[in-house]
Amino acid sequence: MKFLLVEDNQDLANAILSRLQFSGHVIDHADNLEDAQAYTLTSEYDLILLDIMLPDGDGRSFLKRHRANNHDTPVIVLTARSQVSDRIGSLDLGADDYLTKPFDHAELEARCRAVLRRKSGTSKTSIELGRVIFDPVAGHLSVNGQMVTLRNRELRLLELFLNAPNTIFSKQKLVDRLFSYDNDVSENAIEVYIGRLRKHLKPSDLKITTLRSLGYRLDHDS
């Protein structure tokens, strides 16, 4: 998954980045509202973690604009404010959850998973398609009943395809979803990951199809 973290406390931001990146997520970090807005205009995110007290304004103004522009990206508000009225206000503006600082990072991860499950409309943690079962939380992949070990980026690439079968992903789109702005990577890296995934999926009824000049699509041979 690709997250946007909007947090100006560098120590806290580093701790969150370290934890979520270790879990395999791609994270872009903004320490102010202006940069956060710029990120959302140029990239697509699965989840936004939003601080309220920021150097150039109130994070709730960002949230309000985000929803007013019909963006449905889930947002978890992170703030030191613990009053009930603050929680209600953020939720009414469109926040999907609210976490008061200081918080346990394991709880933050659990809330992220819960919000993402609600967004997808399922209570399951695993994805099943054909003879493939994939648990993105545990990083487990089963192909025809056999466990397969994947590297981190391969796991996240497979997750993208399984969440949107029959959808065409351009190389640039895949680069954007798999890497943060801090990563200097070429589109050729995507070809490498696609090749690896194809080998792992070969025994299954799923295949990654190349569409010339368009990109890649996960097909299910039913």
Side-chain angles (χ1 to χ4, degrees):
M1 293 292 181
K2 187 171 186 178
F3 296 172
L4 173 62
L5 171 64
V6 188
E7 170 61 63
D8 67 323
N9 183 310
Q10 195 59 51
D11 289 339
L12 177 58
N14 288 340
I16 294 174
L17 288 168
S18 178
R19 179 90 184 203
L20 294 178
Q21 288 170 342
F22 181 78
S23 297
H25 300 294
V26 177
I27 317 291
D28 282 328
H29 172 223
D31 59 9
N32 60 74
L33 294 177
E34 182 179 1
D35 288 349
Q37 186 68 25
Y39 275 128
T40 59
L41 291 174
T42 57
S43 191
E44 181 180 339
Y45 297 97
D46 298 294
L47 180 67
I48 297 174
L49 302 175
L50 177 65
D51 186 21
I52 293 298
M53 302 290 288
L54 292 159
D56 55 348
D58 192 319
R60 287 171 296 189
S61 63
F62 170 91
L63 175 59
K64 187 175 181 179
R65 287 196 305 271
H66 190 68
R67 294 302 184 224
N69 291 327
N70 295 318
H71 295 306
D72 62 354
T73 310
V75 176
I76 297 179
V77 168
L78 310 175
T79 180
R81 296 176 175 177
S82 59
Q83 290 86 352
V84 173
S85 59
D86 288 321
R87 295 199 297 271
I88 292 173
S90 295
L91 294 171
D92 283 344
L93 285 175
D96 295 86
D97 203 350
Y98 189 108
L99 200 54
T100 303
K101 302 174 184 178
F103 50 79
D104 186 272
H105 290 278
E107 181 182 1
L108 173 61
E109 285 192 287
R111 286 177 181 262
C112 290
R113 291 193 295 269
V115 166
L116 291 169
R117 284 198 302 271
R118 291 200 298 270
K119 175 68 164 50
S120 66
T122 179
S123 60
K124 293 183 178 181
T125 59
S126 62
I127 304 169
E128 299 183 26
L129 184 62
R131 297 193 293 272
V132 169
I133 303 174
F134 176 60
D135 184 340
V137 176
H140 293 160
L141 171 65
S142 172
V143 178
N144 291 347
Q146 298 295 315
M147 295 300 298
V148 176
T149 301
L150 296 182
R151 299 178 183 179
N152 195 356
R153 299 249 192 251
E154 295 165 13
L155 286 170
R156 298 312 157 201
L157 179 59
L158 178 60
E159 185 177 9
L160 281 175
F161 281 127
L162 288 175
N163 278 317
N166 303 314
T167 299
I168 299 173
F169 291 92
S170 68
K171 283 186 180 179
Q172 184 54 51
K173 180 74 167 180
L174 293 176
V175 168
D176 177 65
R177 297 305 305 276
L178 291 177
F179 298 92
S180 71
Y181 276 98
D182 295 332
N183 296 129
D184 183 16
V185 62
S186 71
E187 293 182 2
N188 291 335
I190 297 300
E191 296 180 8
V192 174
Y193 296 125
I194 291 290
R196 291 173 182 170
L197 272 187
R198 280 177 169 151
K199 290 180 181 179
H200 291 305
L201 294 176
K202 193 171 183 179
S204 76
D205 47 357
L206 304 183
K207 66 178 181 179
I208 299 173
T209 302
T210 299
L211 301 169
R212 187 165 183 167
S213 301
L214 295 176
Y216 302 98
R217 182 184 64 207
L218 181 68
D219 293 324
H220 178 204
D221 295 330
S222 55

